[in-house]
Amino acid sequence: MDTVIEVRDLHREYITHKGVLHRKKEIVEAVRGIDFSVKKGEIFGLLGQNGAGKTTTIKMLTTLLAPTSGACKVFGYDTFGEEKYIRKRINFIFGGEMGIYRRLSARDNLRYFANLYLLDARQREQRIEEILELVELTDAADRLAETYSKGMIQRLQIGRGLINDPEILFMDEPTVGLDPVGARMLRDIIRKLRDEGKTVLLTTHYLPEAEELCDRMVILNQGKIAARGTPAQIKGDAETLEDAYIALVQGDKV
């Protein structure tokens, strides 16, 4: 399979200010020299505690944040400096309820984002109908999003993220706050996307979800990679993936 994401010795630092007058500078290393690659058509997991560097890494991969140093490439292009060759081919989905307009219907939300990607009218309407069917919102397509449940809103977010038919979909905690039925439906959609040849990079705190979905994953801890491989490889001799994960982030050997 072709490699579509390549990360080599990637670093990202932030400068913060401390003290009463905020005069004291401090450098915070959010990402500290990580390496991984993602192949076309796989679901790749990025796991770790809060503050481990997951969201910072995704922001660099989606061209929203410049690396401090190292290589960060998508489709062979640098995510900072060559982002115009990347942005039309990717999309990003947030966890929670951000990213859509609640005073618009699902159909109008999708039309709005389709227009941002300059889809022509015929292509736009056909694409919208396909997406509504995929995320199972056809019957509620003309209701205002503010009347939707959390699960419906998150499915609409996935629809929004698919409007430009991206080759890579970045998903940051996509099932956060959902009930088990809604989370299961979203996981089914993610698998459908893989079956269609999409590449999905996923962050999640829910380890059973990662084990169920991900072909491969990396575990980040304090900005560094603590483990990498398939869920089975990371689990090793541990009873559960959760046990292996806890041992890794605490610095123990499984």
Side-chain angles (χ1 to χ4, degrees), residues 93-97 100 102 106 134-137 140 143 145 147-159 171 174-187 189:
I93 294 169
F94 307 93
E97 300 180 27
I100 63 168
R102 297 176 67 88
L134 174 67
V135 299
E136 300 184 23
L137 287 175
R143 282 172 44 195
T147 69
Y148 283 7
S149 67
K150 284 186 178 181
M152 294 171 74
I153 288 173
Q154 194 63 344
R155 277 150 45 204
L156 178 55
Q157 286 224 71
I158 290 181
M171 307 180 81
T175 60
V176 66
L178 297 185
D179 61 43
V181 174
R184 167 62 65 182
M185 186 174 291
L186 281 185
R187 290 195 291 271
I189 291 172

Side-chain angles (χ1 to χ4, degrees), residues 22-245:
H22 301 286
R23 291 179 178 174
K24 184 179 179 181
K25 290 184 180 180
E26 181 178 346
I27 295 177
V28 176
E29 293 182 284
V31 176
R32 304 164 62 194
I34 64 174
D35 300 84
F36 66 86
S37 61
V38 180
K39 296 178 180 179
K40 181 179 180 181
E42 72 175 339
I43 300 176
F44 190 90
L46 201 58
L47 280 66
Q49 298 170 295
N50 290 333
K54 303 186 304 297
T55 298
T56 297
T57 300
I58 278 193
K59 285 183 176 179
M60 288 188 281
L61 288 169
T62 55
T63 78
L64 300 177
L65 192 64
T68 301
S69 64
C72 186
K73 294 179 178 288
V74 176
F75 305 119
Y77 298 106
D78 290 326
T79 58
F80 185 71
E82 297 180 311
E83 55 269 27
K84 67 180 180 180
Y85 302 112
I86 299 171
R87 288 179 174 168
K88 289 185 177 181
R89 300 172 66 184
I90 66 172
N91 216 320
F92 181 65
I93 294 169
F94 307 93
E97 300 180 27
M98 301 182 295
I100 63 168
Y101 294 96
R102 297 176 67 88
R103 295 295 183 92
L104 296 179
S105 67
R107 194 184 306 278
D108 285 340
N109 264 283
L110 295 178
R111 279 185 180 138
Y112 172 77
F113 289 106
N115 288 336
L116 292 182
Y117 283 98
L118 304 178
L119 301 185
D120 64 63
R122 182 177 178 180
Q123 181 186 14
R124 180 191 67 200
E125 296 306 312
Q126 180 179 349
R127 183 70 182 150
I128 287 171
E129 293 305 318
E130 291 171 353
I131 289 172
L132 288 171
E133 183 176 354
L134 174 67
V135 299
E136 300 184 23
L137 287 175
T138 301
D139 291 343
D142 297 307
R143 282 172 44 195
L144 297 184
E146 66 183 1
T147 69
Y148 283 7
S149 67
K150 284 186 178 181
M152 294 171 74
I153 288 173
Q154 194 63 344
R155 277 150 45 204
L156 178 55
Q157 286 224 71
I158 290 181
R160 187 267 305 160
L162 293 172
I163 196 66
N164 62 320
D165 196 18
E167 297 169 56
I168 303 176
L169 193 59
F170 295 88
M171 307 180 81
D172 194 10
E173 301 286 350
T175 60
V176 66
L178 297 185
D179 61 43
V181 174
R184 167 62 65 182
M185 186 174 291
L186 281 185
R187 290 195 291 271
D188 289 343
I189 291 172
I190 291 169
R191 277 189 288 264
K192 286 179 185 178
L193 296 176
R194 177 180 56 189
D195 293 343
E196 293 176 1
K198 305 290 186 189
T199 303
V200 178
L201 191 146
L202 169 78
T203 76
T204 180
H205 284 105
Y206 187 43
L207 294 173
E209 177 174 82
E211 187 170 12
E212 178 184 340
L213 287 175
C214 296
D215 299 301
R216 294 186 301 129
M217 62 177 69
V218 297
I219 295 177
L220 296 180
N221 186 36
Q222 298 180 2
K224 294 184 176 181
I225 292 181
R228 70 177 77 232
T230 66
Q233 288 170 338
I234 292 175
K235 182 178 175 180
D237 295 329
E239 187 173 341
T240 66
L241 183 62
E242 182 177 3
D243 291 337
Y245 172 86

